[in-house]
């Protein structure tokens, strides 16, 4: 999906008008319309503002990721005492065999979660 379509989809999901978004971006509703119609592309600062406003990554907006999950910072706590950054550091210091085992385990967990979501 292209940037213009994602922007329009996110705005409609949030149930806001182009005028509301334009006010947040400090631009005209016509500019928002141009972004959503693919006539113009937002500059980098506006792209960052859009990602923050919708709670998605710029990679998602640009079509580099299919996931529109909330953005997670490296210092976000996991399980009360680890951070995302800690886990990334740990993963980078594992042996190749341990990294493969970890990747396989994560894949199994993701498959299990997806199966549970489909049953719900």
């Amino acid at each position: 999906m292209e940037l213009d379509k994602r922007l329009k989809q996110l705005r409609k999901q949030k149930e806001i008008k182009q005028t509301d978004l334009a006010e947040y971006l400090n631009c005209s509703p016509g500019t928002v319309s141009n972004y959503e119609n693919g006539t113009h592309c937002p500059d980098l600062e506006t792209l960052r503002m859009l990602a923050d406003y919708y709670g998605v990554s710029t990679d998602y907006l640009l079509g580099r990721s299919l996931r529109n999950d909330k953005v997670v910072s490296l210092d976000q706590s996991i399980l009360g005492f680890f951070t995302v950054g800690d886990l990334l550091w740990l993963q980078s210091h594992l042996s190749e065999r341990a990294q493969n085992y970890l990747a396989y385990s994560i894949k199994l967990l993701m498959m299990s979660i997806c199966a549970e979501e489909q049953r719900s």
Side-chain angles (χ1 to χ4, degrees):
M1 187 179 293
E2 297 173 24
L3 174 63
D4 54 344
K5 291 177 182 67
R6 290 216 171 163
L7 291 174
K8 189 171 192 173
Q9 176 189 38
L10 287 167
R11 183 179 56 76
K12 289 185 180 270
Q13 284 174 351
K14 199 163 179 129
E15 297 180 350
I16 61 166
K17 297 177 183 176
Q18 288 180 338
T19 53
D20 299 324
L21 182 58
E23 185 175 321
Y24 170 78
L25 296 174
N26 197 28
C27 67
S28 72
T31 299
V32 172
S33 177
N34 286 338
Y35 295 156
E36 291 183 359
N37 292 324
T39 306
H40 293 101
C41 288
D43 60 26
L44 293 177
E45 178 59 20
T46 304
L47 188 66
R48 183 195 60 76
M49 289 176 70
L50 287 162
D52 289 347
Y53 185 75
Y54 291 123
V56 298
S57 69
T58 53
D59 277 352
Y60 176 75
L61 290 178
L62 296 172
R64 293 175 42 124
S65 172
L66 297 176
R67 301 179 62 105
N68 69 346
D69 299 341
K70 299 290 181 199
V71 177
V72 175
S73 66
L74 293 179
D75 63 351
Q76 180 174 339
S77 178
I78 298 176
L79 302 174
F81 47 89
F82 290 112
T83 66
V84 172
D86 292 337
L87 295 178
L88 289 173
W89 178 88
L90 176 64
Q91 180 273 330
S92 70
H93 287 80
L94 294 174
S95 68
E96 184 177 344
R97 181 174 183 213
Q99 286 185 21
N100 289 335
Y101 181 76
L102 178 62
Y104 180 73
S105 299
I106 292 170
K107 182 177 179 181
L108 290 176
L109 285 170
M110 290 179 72
M111 289 170 52
S112 174
I113 291 168
C114 289
E116 285 181 27
E117 287 178 353
Q118 287 179 353
R119 284 191 292 263
S120 299

